[in-house]
Amino acid sequence: MSEPDLMMQQGAEPIVKYHNPDLLPGMFHTLYPFGIGGFNDTSQPTPLSFQVQADYYFNLADKSFRQHRTYMFVALNIQQRRMAHLHMHFTVRRSHFETLARSLTSVSPQTLRRVADHLQQEHNYSNLSVDDRSALNLLTQVNTIAARVPGSQASKMYVRNEIRSYFGFFGMPHVFFTCNPNVSHSPIFQVMYGDETVDLTARYPVLVSARERALQLAQDPVAAVDFFQYSVTSLFAHLFGWDYSSQCSTVAGGILGHIEAFYGTCE
């Protein structure tokens, strides 16, 4: 009797998400056919962060990783969770620090788990036990800071504070500029996607239909990100005369003269 080609294991214990090189190879067998190449592998001669290794996979000549339907979302979710776990901290009022510090250390993980399950199931506050209610009231007195977690409200506030700091140092900006490169209608994106029939030397390059361009955009979002980065970099380098290597304006300058500083952010 021959063994099956694919064996799916299951159990009651959740799989460890940290320091587990077998996590993603076990989830995506077609991307890791030999079961190697996972993240946080201590046997690697050069340590790699999760973000660096994920970016490397997405920029391989083999587009299996970037064109997989779910791999990108799983990798992003893991990265966001790690950022939330490692770069989130609490702030309290100075006058309440000693009291809240002692109270927080006395709350058990089991109590927090009960409170979280209770709230997730949308049960009433009055149904909580005395200890669980005290733990919930304690958390309301603590502010959560997550400025380094991408997409969080705190990260947006961090960007706004940086912009205000620019105002204080350089003065009010003279120009507000909005750039929105259109990916689906750009022949440059089609070349980055891999369409070798597009002739960029032509004044009006011949492109595939709008439907086909939309499908290509959905199939390869990494190429869309590369196109956006290329467009913004080229715009500031050739139109505004900004030298990215020296982090200052070029000698010749651009259409606005010599730029002293600029701040850019994406929606």
Side-chain angles (χ1 to χ4, degrees), residues 105-177:
T105 55
S106 63
V107 177
S108 65
Q110 292 77 14
T111 301
L112 296 178
R113 176 63 63 85
R114 287 198 307 270
V115 173
D117 294 339
H118 188 89
L119 296 178
Q120 185 177 10
Q121 297 173 8
E122 299 183 356
H123 291 165
N124 294 330
Y125 173 82
S126 58
N127 295 336
L128 289 171
S129 63
V130 177
D131 293 340
D132 294 350
R133 192 178 304 174
S134 300
L136 182 60
N137 293 335
L138 182 63
L139 293 177
T140 59
Q141 304 179 49
V142 178
N143 297 322
T144 303
I145 304 299
R148 297 186 60 182
V149 179
S152 64
Q153 185 64 27
S155 66
K156 299 177 184 178
M157 295 176 61
Y158 181 82
V159 169
R160 294 169 187 165
N161 292 334
E162 276 197 329
I163 295 176
R164 295 190 185 99
S165 299
Y166 267 55
F167 289 0
F169 190 83
F170 296 104
M172 291 292 292
H174 297 279
V175 176
F176 290 90
F177 178 74

Side-chain angles (χ1 to χ4, degrees), residues 85-246:
H85 293 164
L86 299 177
H87 299 291
M88 183 177 293
H89 56 278
F90 299 133
T91 60
V92 298
R93 294 182 179 272
R94 184 185 297 271
S95 58
H96 299 163
F97 178 77
E98 294 294 339
T99 304
L100 289 176
R102 289 193 298 268
S103 301
L104 281 174
T105 55
S106 63
V107 177
S108 65
Q110 292 77 14
T111 301
L112 296 178
R113 176 63 63 85
R114 287 198 307 270
V115 173
D117 294 339
H118 188 89
L119 296 178
Q120 185 177 10
Q121 297 173 8
E122 299 183 356
H123 291 165
N124 294 330
Y125 173 82
S126 58
N127 295 336
L128 289 171
S129 63
V130 177
D131 293 340
D132 294 350
R133 192 178 304 174
S134 300
L136 182 60
N137 293 335
L138 182 63
L139 293 177
T140 59
Q141 304 179 49
V142 178
N143 297 322
T144 303
I145 304 299
R148 297 186 60 182
V149 179
S152 64
Q153 185 64 27
S155 66
K156 299 177 184 178
M157 295 176 61
Y158 181 82
V159 169
R160 294 169 187 165
N161 292 334
E162 276 197 329
I163 295 176
R164 295 190 185 99
S165 299
Y166 267 55
F167 289 0
F169 190 83
F170 296 104
M172 291 292 292
H174 297 279
V175 176
F176 290 90
F177 178 74
T178 301
C179 177
N180 186 20
N182 195 316
V183 180
S184 59
H185 296 293
S186 173
I188 299 178
F189 166 74
Q190 304 302 320
V191 174
M192 289 182 171
Y193 173 80
D195 190 349
E196 299 180 354
T197 62
V198 177
D199 183 11
L200 293 180
T201 62
R203 185 172 184 179
Y204 299 105
V206 179
L207 304 179
V208 295
S209 64
R211 179 181 182 277
E212 189 67 24
R213 294 197 301 268
L215 292 175
Q216 292 175 353
L217 174 59
Q219 186 179 17
D220 194 351
V222 176
V225 174
D226 293 339
F227 166 77
F228 179 83
Q229 182 69 23
Y230 171 80
S231 300
V232 174
T233 303
S234 300
L235 181 71
F236 276 88
H238 301 289
L239 191 64
F240 296 140
W242 183 261
D243 187 355
Y244 280 90
S245 59
S246 60

